[in-house]
Amino acid sequence: MAKYLLLKHYRGAPTPVNDVPMERWTPDEVEAHMEFMRDFAARLEGTGELVDGQALAQEGAWVRYDGEGRPPVTDGPFAETKDLIAGWFVIDVDSWDRAVELAGELSAAPGAGGEPIHEWLEVRPFYGGSAPVSE
């Protein structure tokens, strides 16, 4: 088994087919999307493939060390991950192919109009794991 990160982005990936930002979805569309995510996680939990899955709030800040005895510095002229990363699933699966298969299923989460988003997800193996990536 190898662990992979299925990373959901707000932006930065190629444009999805159903490219309507979540803030413009109806409450029912948001709930249908969240229900899909909960069902996806429950199914993976049932197969033993789910390690973790989280959605992220929009709030957050960059923080860095600024020298001995000085308080940490927050924010700066950087891309904000709070604007980029929507959430993730950490999975533990038998192969790269299974990780890609699950990412494809997750990409079909419903969005505006109840239609699949067809969003791009980043699939990354955890460092040190054996994960052949063929492109």
Side-chain angles (χ1 to χ4, degrees):
M1 301 284 277
K3 289 188 176 85
Y4 294 88
L5 176 67
L6 306 182
L7 188 58
K8 295 175 62 60
H9 293 273
Y10 285 117
R11 358 171 246 184
T15 304
V17 173
N18 188 352
D19 189 27
V20 178
M22 189 180 253
E23 61 266 13
R24 293 192 358 226
W25 297 0
T26 68
D28 287 345
E29 290 168 343
V30 171
E31 179 53 35
H33 182 82
M34 298 309 292
E35 183 178 342
F36 179 97
M37 294 298 164
R38 287 188 296 268
D39 292 348
F40 183 82
R43 186 167 51 86
L44 294 185
E45 190 172 36
T47 63
E49 295 173 308
L50 180 68
V51 174
D52 184 41
Q54 301 292 327
L56 296 176
Q58 292 269 340
E59 300 80 27
W62 284 90
V63 177
R64 73 170 170 85
Y65 174 76
D66 197 37
E68 188 65 39
R70 300 181 68 172
V73 175
T74 59
D75 282 320
F78 312 110
E80 297 283 355
T81 57
K82 63 188 175 202
D83 296 331
L84 299 176
I85 301 172
W88 68 84
F89 282 94
V90 176
I91 56 173
D92 194 0
V93 295
D94 289 329
S95 67
W96 167 257
D97 291 339
R98 178 65 176 150
V100 168
E101 176 185 353
L102 291 173
E105 291 178 27
L106 188 55
S107 173
E115 295 297 317
I117 299 171
H118 296 270
E119 70 181 323
W120 290 89
L121 290 123
E122 186 175 352
V123 179
R124 294 184 62 184
F126 276 50
Y127 184 75
S130 58
V133 177
S134 57
E135 297 192 39

